[in-house]
Amino acid sequence: MNTSLGQPNVIAIAGFFTFVALSLVITYVAARRTRNAEQFYAAGRRITGFQNGMALAGDYMSAASFLGIAGLVSLSGFDGLIYSIGFLVGWPIVMFLIAEPLRNLGKYTFSDVVAFRLRQTPVRIAAAIGSLAVVAFYLIAQMVGAGNLVRLMFGLDYEVAVVIVGVVMMAYVSFGGMIATTWVQIVKAVLLLFGAFALALLALSRFGFNPLALFRAAADQYGGAVLGPGRLVSNPLDAMSLGLGLMLGTAGLPHILMRFYTVPDARTARVSVAYATAFIGFFYLLTFILGFGAMVIVGQPAIRAIDAGGNMAAPMLAEAVGGQAFLGFISAVAFATILAVVAGLTLAGAAALSHDLWVQVFRHGKASEKEQFQVARVSTVFLGILAIVLGIAFKGQNVAYMVGLAFAIAASANFPALILSIFWRAFTTRAAQVSMLVGTASSLLLIYFSPAIQIDILHNTSAPFPLRNPGLISIPLSFAVAIIVALAWPEPAAAAGFAEVERRVHVGVDEGVADSHLSR
Amino acid sequence: MSLPDFRQVDASRRRVAGALTIAMMVIYFGFILLVAYAKPFLSQLIVPGMSLGILLGALVIVAAWVLIWIYVRWANTHYDTAIDAARGRA
């Protein structure tokens, strides 16, 4: 099949500039309403449940999902589904265990919750390290995806594309803060859901709108094996490790957790997770149709010829069923997706640097609103530059796999400390600190010693750690050290503070807005 | 609010949230274990074009929706009422 991928597509470029212009308009409007730290980090807590549901979906449905999973399914069939499902099942966990307590106990970041009844400084430092590690891996994945997309669709250089994404995102995060980021997420979520749905419908129209006819065509063409588990999960322990990381990682992603502070109260947080899960589940069901659609309509050889990882399967399908114009639209949507996710990540990273490290650690909670706000903006610019540098340095990495690692780090570094601080009376400062640091360090080390780095990148013949994803070891390890340390060195003051946690978890602060002093 | 009231709300929230969390984990890891250890079982076709694996995979997503729906219903009726009652007595 012929494809115009790799040559500039006028509609894609026009669509991209329209989205950038739109997000700058949103930024301009938002900037006039962003005058203090609460507006910058939490959009003034005025976002509704439906809006936050859309924004959560926007933050979560990254290009790695759209392009990566569609590509994975198109090349390996059923195996790609494991990612689709794993990315969704984290949401019920967020709903049942995290969303409402998080909103009731914190102010801007999840470390507010962990530090609530513990000693601020050590917890904040450890939480910031964990958050920044997650944000960095996630950013690498998005920036690499952005670079590849633009190179293939707009005919620009990879490096130029990475710089453009970084600069635009820096502009709208530093001026528009959470208000701009939220509205960009909402616009992007609508575009992505609409685009993916339209693409799935167009693909299904070739099969009488019957998904079974599509799957049957795939089985006829590539053999029945594409409908069942295959070589991607050759190692059962690897499948478990990936699954555990995907499921628990969602509840430890700083940019997702931060969104729960943009709504007025815990009930609204609950409603927003319900909407988010509905949208995200629908989207992941669509990735199935898109993947098998690309497999049958575009064909595996053509997909592989453009990108060995299959990342261009969805755009190629768009061109096959809707022509150049639709390809342009889908490309612009994919690009908007990356831009929006990068913005959410940068904002979360900036909150870790300014709210957790600068204000709470260096200034002991005594920074003025103005100072806090300025530090947040400077952090944004710093992270934007870091994202550009990392994006260029990690050129050529596999996007979906990198996101899987970010999830595993989040599940090991942040999730155990967060859950134990909410639900376990005997949890202590030292336990939180050790759990977050061991979670971060062990997942990073195991990634370094995994086959993905040792064999694929360093070209060694074997790897000391056999699994490609560290979750199966690093998550239980992080829980274990937390529990052992808490039991070995009790902290009576922290246990005494738990009564207030138990009350706040349910009622929050009576005004519906968290108060300014979080230490006991 | 008197502490015993609030302890009761806390206990029921832990029970419901805990049970739903375990349900989701059992469903999901059940699926992952089948993927890892029962490949031929999942590969069999129920009807032409639909393997058991694809059906169960889609059902895991549906199960997540259903569990969330159960939680929201419980929270909107029982939990919120109990919290409001406890607050009213504070």
Side-chain angles (χ1 to χ4, degrees), chain A residues 78-79 81-82 84-89 91-93 95-97 100-101 104 211-212 215-216 224-231 233-237 239-240 242-244 246-248 267 270-271 273-274 277-282 284-285 288 292 422-425 498-499 502-510, chain B residues 1 3 6-7 9-11 13-14 16-22 24-29 31-45 47-65 67-77 79-81 83-84 86-87:
Chain A
F78 176 87
D79 290 348
L81 179 69
I82 298 163
S84 295
I85 296 165
F87 279 130
L88 185 79
V89 292
W91 284 93
I93 307 298
M95 175 68 118
F96 306 146
L97 301 181
E100 295 170 54
N104 278 335
L212 293 188
F215 298 153
R216 201 159 54 226
V226 295
L227 301 181
R231 61 180 174 81
V233 283
S234 51
N235 180 349
L237 289 177
M240 294 294 293
L242 175 68
L244 196 65
L246 293 181
M247 181 174 216
L248 302 181
R267 285 173 201 188
R270 177 197 308 156
V271 172
V273 182
T277 313
F279 294 134
I280 295 168
F282 175 66
Y284 284 129
L285 286 175
F288 257 69
F292 279 105
I422 297 172
F423 292 102
W424 194 34
R425 180 184 305 274
F498 192 65
E502 281 184 305
R503 195 184 69 85
R504 276 264 198 120
V505 148
H506 302 290
V507 297
V509 177
D510 289 334
Chain B
M1 141 178 26
L3 214 55
F6 150 76
R7 282 269 155 81
V9 180
D10 195 59
R13 191 184 191 284
R14 277 172 185 246
V16 172
L20 289 169
T21 302
I22 290 168
M24 189 70 249
M25 288 192 158
V26 167
I27 292 170
Y28 176 59
F29 286 108
F31 176 75
I32 292 287
L33 282 175
L34 285 178
V35 168
Y37 293 102
K39 289 183 187 181
F41 175 71
L42 287 186
S43 301
Q44 59 186 303
L45 294 180
V47 291
M50 180 54 84
S51 67
L52 192 60
I54 291 183
L55 180 69
L56 289 180
L59 284 180
V60 173
I61 292 183
V62 173
W65 279 337
L67 291 177
I68 284 211
W69 181 77
I70 292 171
Y71 175 79
V72 170
R73 256 189 78 100
W74 170 81
N76 284 349
T77 53
Y79 179 64
D80 285 353
T81 321
I83 290 293
D84 285 343
R87 240 191 200 145

Side-chain angles (χ1 to χ4, degrees), chain A residues 278-363:
Chain A
F279 294 134
I280 295 168
F282 175 66
F283 175 75
Y284 284 129
L285 286 175
L286 287 179
T287 57
F288 257 69
I289 306 292
L290 301 184
F292 279 105
M295 182 194 281
V296 175
I297 296 171
V298 180
Q300 287 184 349
I303 295 170
R304 271 207 194 89
I306 288 285
D307 179 273
N311 288 317
M312 290 299 120
M316 292 177 86
L317 178 66
E319 188 180 26
V321 297
Q324 282 258 351
F326 197 56
L327 167 67
F329 174 72
I330 290 292
S331 310
V333 168
F335 205 36
T337 293
I338 293 180
L339 204 55
V341 172
V342 168
L345 284 166
T346 305
L347 192 60
L353 283 175
S354 55
H355 176 64
D356 291 335
L357 280 187
W358 181 263
V359 177
Q360 301 289 345
V361 175
F362 292 110
R363 293 286 185 171

Side-chain angles (χ1 to χ4, degrees), chain A residues 439-491:
Chain A
T440 309
S442 63
S443 47
L444 290 177
L445 274 177
L446 291 177
I447 290 168
Y448 180 74
F449 289 116
S450 75
I453 300 283
Q454 294 295 325
I455 296 174
D456 299 353
I457 293 178
L458 299 176
H459 303 292
N460 291 332
T461 45
S462 68
F465 181 66
L467 302 180
R468 300 183 76 84
N469 192 298
L472 197 61
I473 304 294
S474 58
I475 299 168
L477 181 68
S478 175
F479 268 110
V481 294
I483 292 167
I484 292 168
V485 169
L487 292 177
W489 291 278
E491 187 180 337

